[in-house]
Amino acid sequence: MWLARPALGRPEGVGVRWGTVLACLLPLATHGQGTVPSAASVAPAARVAPVEAASPEKTVNPNAPTPASGTWALVKNLTLPTPGAASLDRRGTLYLADRDNNLRQLGRDGQPLNTYSPAQPGHMAVVEAWNQNSLLVFYDDRQQVLLLDRFLAPLSEIRLADYIDGTVRTATLAPDGLLWVLDESNLTLREFDPQALRVVQSTPLDLIIGRSRPDFRFLRQYQNNLYLVDHTSGIFVFDNLGNYRKKLPFLSLDFITFRGDELVYLSEGQLHFFHLYNLTERTQALPPGLDATTVRQVLLGDQYAYFVTTKGVVIYQL
């Protein structure tokens, strides 16, 4: 019986009643018919998302002001044909895949620092540098994860197909060194231990997704929550154990980024700043002359903003 299956995100030890089950599943079953949960909705749907204290981990200053409209100061415009995935570490160092799938390491102001050239070709679908100890590169065509140190020296290489029975769409690196991967074939979010080379836990997504046809694009862990971007229906939010918490109704997104206590995304030619705990949102115009249709990814550091476009990287001082 499917009701014997634990409800995703339900606190351990809490009993399940028919009313609670129906309250949890009804919004999911009707989502494909146009029902969009509010930014504060959680599972069970009757509860309001609790305000959590920010993680004590060292991050960008949560109180750091973002630039007011019209105050963007251009620092550098780097020409780089067809750049790929990019990521920013806690020191403000930028990591960027180029057209030839080399990984470039750039200083805060765009100064070249180092380059990693892989021994065999492959498409760098994800670059994740937020972990303080290692850097993750995910090759979607090879279904392989590469871990590098801060000098871009290889630490380990893992062929996910040897341990996961399915196709991984996207992946990210958690602060504890474990990997989160989205198994698209089985619609399952999995946590993988790269040291023990085994799946630690799995979260099925079928009941959460409901009747919708997802198009997963991006995965990122930040301040003890895991954010899974579905281009079709919004952002699914899980805790650091993989339990489903809520859904943010931000549609048609390919990427998100974070700065302090805000989730940042680009939509309709503007930057949107969504506060993770107050659940408030504000917008800000892009720098003058920057074509939003060319922007592939936005990264915000403590002092600089990086806009990865189809022609390269444009850097502004905040």
Side-chain angles (χ1 to χ4, degrees), residues 36-219:
V36 179
S38 68
S41 66
V42 295
R47 297 182 183 177
V48 177
V51 176
E52 300 178 356
S55 171
E57 65 184 13
K58 183 179 179 182
T59 63
V60 174
N61 179 11
N63 300 316
T66 52
S69 179
T71 63
W72 299 97
L74 179 63
V75 174
K76 186 174 293 186
N77 191 339
L78 299 175
T79 301
L80 188 65
T82 320
S87 183
L88 202 64
D89 70 13
R90 299 172 192 242
R91 303 174 182 86
T93 305
L94 178 67
Y95 299 83
L96 177 68
D98 63 20
R99 180 174 55 184
D100 298 322
N101 287 299
N102 299 311
L103 184 63
R104 303 193 182 200
Q105 184 185 51
L106 306 175
R108 292 187 176 186
D109 58 354
Q111 179 182 2
L113 299 178
N114 208 343
T115 301
Y116 169 77
S117 298
Q120 55 181 321
H123 179 247
M124 295 182 178
V126 177
V127 176
E128 177 54 63
W130 194 247
N131 186 287
Q132 298 189 73
N133 299 316
S134 56
L135 171 75
L136 173 141
V137 177
F138 169 59
Y139 296 90
D140 57 353
D141 54 350
R142 287 164 32 193
Q143 290 290 288
Q144 197 169 36
V145 165
L146 173 66
L147 297 179
L148 306 169
D149 65 16
R150 291 298 158 179
F151 300 98
L152 301 188
L155 296 174
S156 62
E157 202 167 279
I158 304 166
R159 188 173 180 270
L160 295 176
D162 293 338
Y163 309 99
I164 296 177
D165 185 20
T167 300
V168 174
R169 175 66 184 271
T170 185
T172 193
L173 185 62
D176 58 6
L178 298 182
L179 306 178
W180 284 104
V181 300
L182 190 281
D183 181 352
E184 191 173 44
S185 300
N186 300 296
L187 286 180
T188 303
L189 184 64
R190 304 189 189 278
E191 188 176 30
F192 184 83
D193 188 337
Q195 300 295 327
L197 296 177
R198 65 182 181 88
V199 174
V200 178
Q201 59 181 330
S202 299
T203 301
L205 303 178
D206 48 357
L207 292 181
I208 298 174
I209 294 169
R211 297 179 182 179
S212 66
R213 302 184 65 177
D215 182 7
F216 297 116
R217 300 288 182 91
F218 191 78
L219 183 64

